[in-house]
Amino acid sequence: QPRLVESGGGLVQPGGSLRLSCESSGLTLEYYAVAWFREAPGKEREGVSWMDSTGGSHSGETHYADSVKGRFTISRDTAENRLYLQMSNLKPEDTAVYLCAVGPWGGMNRDEYNYWGQGTQVTVSS
């Protein structure tokens, strides 16, 4: 059974940085589109960033929500089979549970993803 486990969340002050990690077992991440979503209390789950699978005409292309562009960086370590999200210049509005997701096609729509982690809490507060 495929499994995704996030880690790296925590409490950080505004302007600070965190790196989230998503460890995959049972899924070879390079063959799939991978993504980070977030869910804040009372809000819909929203796409933060996603990356195309390797191979093909859009191999490894990255995509970001406007709200995080220039501050967050998605990356994939093929050898470790892990997905990362480097977050910098964090703002209070970034506070949410962050979840990694894996699917065949990619995109910012949650319906495009078949596999999900349980999430890791990120709290940005002074």
Side-chain angles (χ1 to χ4, degrees):
Q1 184 73 11
R3 189 165 179 244
L4 301 171
V5 179
E6 301 93 339
S7 60
L11 173 64
V12 62
Q13 292 187 341
S17 299
L18 281 174
R19 189 176 80 154
L20 306 184
S21 176
C22 174
E23 181 180 9
S24 172
S25 57
L27 290 169
T28 302
L29 294 182
E30 66 177 309
Y31 299 146
Y32 295 89
V34 291
W36 288 96
F37 283 73
R38 66 186 180 187
E39 195 167 301
K43 293 187 176 182
E44 293 285 322
R45 186 173 297 185
E46 65 170 348
V48 173
S49 178
W50 69 278
M51 175 185 283
D52 277 288
S53 61
T54 58
S57 59
H58 299 282
S59 176
E61 284 186 5
T62 57
H63 311 267
Y64 298 93
D66 288 342
S67 59
V68 307
K69 204 169 290 183
R71 300 188 298 122
F72 290 11
T73 302
I74 189 171
S75 62
R76 176 171 46 206
D77 187 314
T78 301
E80 294 188 359
N81 203 29
R82 281 179 180 261
L83 177 67
Y84 295 99
L85 185 69
Q86 177 68 47
M87 306 186 294
S88 302
N89 192 21
L90 283 160
K91 304 176 181 181
E93 52 263 40
D94 295 319
T95 296
V97 174
Y98 284 72
L99 307 98
C100 62
V102 175
W105 306 117
M108 288 296 191
N109 188 329
R110 60 184 295 180
D111 294 336
E112 300 290 346
Y113 298 91
N114 307 111
Y115 302 101
W116 293 85
Q118 293 299 307
T120 185
Q121 176 70 46
V122 171
T123 303
V124 185
S125 175
S126 54

